[in-house]
C-alpha cells in the first residue's frame, strides 16, 4: 500500500511539474515574441497595422511584414531587402500555440500606436514532456 501511495504522489507531482513547465514556456515565448514585435515596430519609419499583419517600412527601401497565420497558428517575419531578396523567419516556435494575434492601428492626430492582442497556449506535445512535432 505504501508503494502505491508513493507512486500516486510521484505521478501527481510529475504532472504538476509538467504544467508549471508549460506555463513557464508560454511566458518565455510570449515575452520573446512581444519584445521582437515591439523592436521591429519601434525601428520602423512607417507602419500600417491590419488585423493579422503589420507591414513596416524602414530606411533604404527596407520593408518587413509581421504576419500571423491563423491556420498554422504561427507568427512570421518577412524581410524584403532590395539587394539580398526576401528573407522569411518564423518568430513563434512549436513549443507554444499562438491561438490569436490581432494588430490594431491606433492613430490620433500625429500620434501613432499599435495595440497587440495575443493569446497563446502550451503545445500539447510539449506539455506531456515529448518533443513537439515540427510545423511546416
Amino acid at each position: 500500500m505504501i508503494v502505491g501511495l508513493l507512486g500516486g504522489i510521484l505521478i501527481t507531482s510529475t504532472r504538476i511539474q509538467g504544467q508549471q513547465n508549460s506555463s513557464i514556456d508560454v511566458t518565455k515565448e510570449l515575452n520573446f515574441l512581444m519584445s521582437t514585435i515591439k523592436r521591429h515596430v519601434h525601428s520602423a519609419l512607417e507602419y500600417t497595422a491590419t488585423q493579422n499583419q503589420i507591414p513596416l517600412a524602414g530606411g533604404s527601401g527596407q520593408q518587413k511584414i509581421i504576419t500571423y497565420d491563423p491556420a498554422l497558428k504561427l507568427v512570421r517575419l518577412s524581410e524584403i531587402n532590395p539587394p539580398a531578396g526576401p528573407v522569411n523567419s518564423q518568430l513563434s516556435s512549436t513549443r507554444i500555440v499562438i491561438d490569436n494575434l490581432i494588430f490594431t492601428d491606433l492613430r490620433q492626430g500625429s500620434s501613432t500606436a499599435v495595440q497587440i492582442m495575443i493569446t497563446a497556449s502550451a503545445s500539447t506535445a510539449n506539455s506531456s514532456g515529448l518533443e513537439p512535432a515540427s510545423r511546416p
Side-chain angles (χ1 to χ4, degrees), residues 37 48-55 65-77 98-105 115 117:
I37 292 171
T48 305
T50 61
Q51 185 169 353
N52 288 27
Q53 71 175 10
I54 182 165
I65 302 172
I66 299 173
T67 306
Y68 168 63
D69 184 338
L72 297 175
K73 300 197 179 282
L74 297 173
V75 180
R76 292 193 172 108
L77 171 66
I98 306 298
D99 299 309
N100 199 9
L101 176 60
I102 299 173
F103 299 106
T104 305
D105 202 341
Q115 179 181 7
M117 295 177 55

Side-chain angles (χ1 to χ4, degrees), residues 29 33 52 67-76 90-101 118-123 135-136:
E29 185 83 17
L33 188 58
N52 288 27
T67 306
Y68 168 63
D69 184 338
L72 297 175
K73 300 197 179 282
L74 297 173
V75 180
R76 292 193 172 108
Q90 187 170 306
L91 295 180
S92 58
S93 75
T94 57
R95 296 177 71 185
I96 67 168
V97 175
I98 306 298
D99 299 309
N100 199 9
L101 176 60
I118 187 167
T119 308
S121 56
S123 169
R135 295 186 183 169

Side-chain angles (χ1 to χ4, degrees), residues 110-132:
S110 62
S111 298
T112 62
V114 174
Q115 179 181 7
I116 303 168
M117 295 177 55
I118 187 167
T119 308
S121 56
S123 169
T124 54
N126 190 41
S127 64
S128 67
L130 301 174
E131 189 65 27

